[in-house]
Amino acid sequence: DTQAIEARTTAVLAEIRADDAAALSPALPIGLEARMAETAAAIKRAVETGHVDDADDTWILARHANAHDRAWENRPRLDRLLMAARLVRWLTNRNGTTWQNISEAASAHAAEGGFVDRARHAIRAGDALPDLGAAYASLAKAAAARRERENHAFAELLMEWTLRGAQGDDPLPVENVLSHVVAPLARATSVLLLVFDGLSFAVWRGLAETVGRLGWKELVSQSRRGVMVAAAALPTVTEVSRTSLLCGELTRGDQGTERAGFASHRGLVAASRTGKPPRLFHKADLGAGPELSAEVREAVVDRDQRVVGIVHNAVDAQLSGSDQLDLTWTAENLRQVAALLQAARDAGRTA
């Protein structure tokens, strides 16, 4: 049998003291482990030296491991390895980050920082290979130190911007999202505003890949570079920041406040059909799932219902969850999200 042949081959390599050549095998499990061990050594070396050449070596070796015939059996491990190699490249980039204002800082986080944090989260899982697990730990420590310096710089710029009244639209204050983004879209087409409470760019980068597989494409403004970024209201707690988003003004409140504010928002009402005011649904309205409640589905598929808002709490709920779980964020894993997106897509909505 295959396992017996592989075991015998591995034993023969040990007998003839050819273990070091195991990485040459494109088929044996020991070959994959050897390639991953080589990458681990390269990661450690690159973290220690900070040299771009060592980062390039790490990427080459990670790709070599990913090309192994048994990589498909170890997909999560190889995905982490490739993320780690990308993180090494970022870490050894000596250009540094010097932001002049909050606009530059927010755009940089959307374009790069979110991917960095996604990679950092990925390698927290470690690896069954001790050397690779140790390499991930050293990489995570170095990346965290650099990100903390960036976070401090971001916080200083955010404080200055807030003290000046949070003017402008780059980043867009969260209380202006309805009037500047949702209402203009609703005047042209029916809209689904899907709010993931507690969502970070790191989680979104993984989630967005699965949303794309459901037939959705990301739209960006032709008048600006990159994605539009909104800044949460301070303090960034649900009753302030989320309520301000859904009411379209700086305020504080609960779900009742959000529903009333959303339904009466001047821009959303103006874009709505007569007798079909904007509707907002919360967790209790969605039902137990996995299917949508009849009320929510009817609202989403109704083409005359121009504006529908949905608040989904799965991400926020996990923030205080177990630190022994590493979740893969996908539209399919978030209960009812795939069903919502499919219903919205079939109804021709922009989400």
Side-chain angles (χ1 to χ4, degrees):
D1 84 13
T2 302
Q3 289 186 338
I5 294 172
E6 291 173 348
R8 177 54 185 156
T9 304
T10 300
V12 169
L13 286 173
E15 290 172 5
I16 63 176
R17 299 179 181 179
D19 306 65
D20 293 342
L24 297 174
S25 170
L28 291 175
I30 191 177
L32 177 60
E33 296 294 309
R35 294 184 187 190
M36 296 182 76
E38 289 179 346
T39 310
I43 291 172
K44 183 178 179 182
R45 183 168 57 252
V47 171
E48 291 174 348
T49 66
H51 292 164
V52 175
D53 289 345
D54 290 328
D56 290 342
D57 289 343
T58 300
W59 179 246
I60 291 170
L61 289 170
R63 292 288 300 274
H64 185 51
N66 191 55
H68 195 275
D69 290 352
R70 310 303 284 269
W72 64 273
E73 297 178 1
N74 297 268
R75 193 68 267 154
R77 295 179 68 201
L78 270 300
D79 286 344
R80 280 196 297 273
L81 192 71
L82 292 170
M83 289 247 190
R86 293 188 179 99
L87 193 56
V88 166
R89 279 187 159 182
W90 169 81
L91 190 63
T92 56
N93 180 357
R94 295 301 185 185
N95 292 332
T97 302
T98 304
W99 302 315
Q100 300 300 316
N101 49 55
I102 190 62
S103 175
E104 291 183 4
S107 296
H109 183 65
E112 180 180 273
F115 289 106
V116 170
D117 288 341
R118 183 187 176 195
R120 289 173 57 212
H121 294 168
I123 65 174
R124 286 190 311 182
D127 194 85
L129 196 64
D131 287 347
L132 185 53
Y136 285 165
S138 64
L139 174 59
K141 182 177 180 180
R146 178 168 170 177
R147 284 295 283 134
E148 280 305 301
R149 293 193 295 271
E150 293 183 347
N151 288 340
H152 182 79
F154 191 102
E156 292 284 349
L157 292 169
L158 179 62
M159 180 182 67
E160 295 174 7
W161 180 68
T162 303
L163 290 174
R164 291 198 304 269
Q167 299 298 314
D169 60 2
D170 191 12
L172 183 66
V174 72
E175 66 272 18
N176 293 338
V177 169
L178 294 187
S179 59
H180 284 56
V181 181
V182 181
L185 284 172
R187 289 196 292 269
T189 183
S190 56
V191 173
L192 170 66
L193 174 63
L194 183 53
V195 179
F196 291 102
D197 210 357
L199 185 71
S200 67
F201 265 105
V203 172
W204 167 246
R205 290 306 182 189
L207 180 59
E209 294 176 4
T210 66
V211 170
R213 293 200 295 268
L214 295 176
W216 290 86
K217 294 182 179 179
E218 183 177 19
L219 299 179
V220 296
S221 173
Q222 292 181 336
S223 62
R224 56 176 293 122
R225 297 180 60 185
V227 299
M228 179 178 289
V229 180
L234 300 176
T236 57
V237 293
T238 297
E239 59 266 29
V240 174
S241 192
R242 194 184 79 186
T243 303
S244 296
L245 162 67
L246 294 171
C247 290
E249 61 180 355
L250 282 176
T251 188
R252 179 189 292 267
D254 54 16
Q255 291 185 9
T257 308
E258 292 173 351
R259 281 192 293 270
F262 193 80
S264 61
H265 184 274
R266 182 177 300 177
L268 299 186
V269 171
S272 297
R273 301 278 192 257
T274 301
K276 298 281 186 176
R279 299 191 65 183
L280 179 66
F281 298 97
H282 290 87
K283 179 180 179 179
D285 303 312
L286 297 178
E291 69 283 351
L292 299 176
S293 68
E295 184 182 20
V296 171
R297 174 171 286 281
E298 288 172 4
V300 172
V301 301
D302 183 356
R303 295 176 184 272
D304 289 330
Q305 181 68 55
R306 300 288 282 189
V307 183
V308 177
I310 304 285
V311 177
H312 201 283
N313 297 95
V315 177
D316 183 59
Q318 183 55 34
L319 294 178
S320 58
S322 173
D323 59 3
Q324 293 182 304
L325 291 176
D326 287 288
L327 298 180
T328 300
W329 296 102
T330 68
E332 293 82 3
N333 287 346
L334 293 175
R335 184 175 297 174
Q336 298 162 316
V337 169
L340 270 171
L341 292 174
Q342 181 175 342
R345 182 195 65 199
D346 293 346
R349 289 188 180 273
T350 295

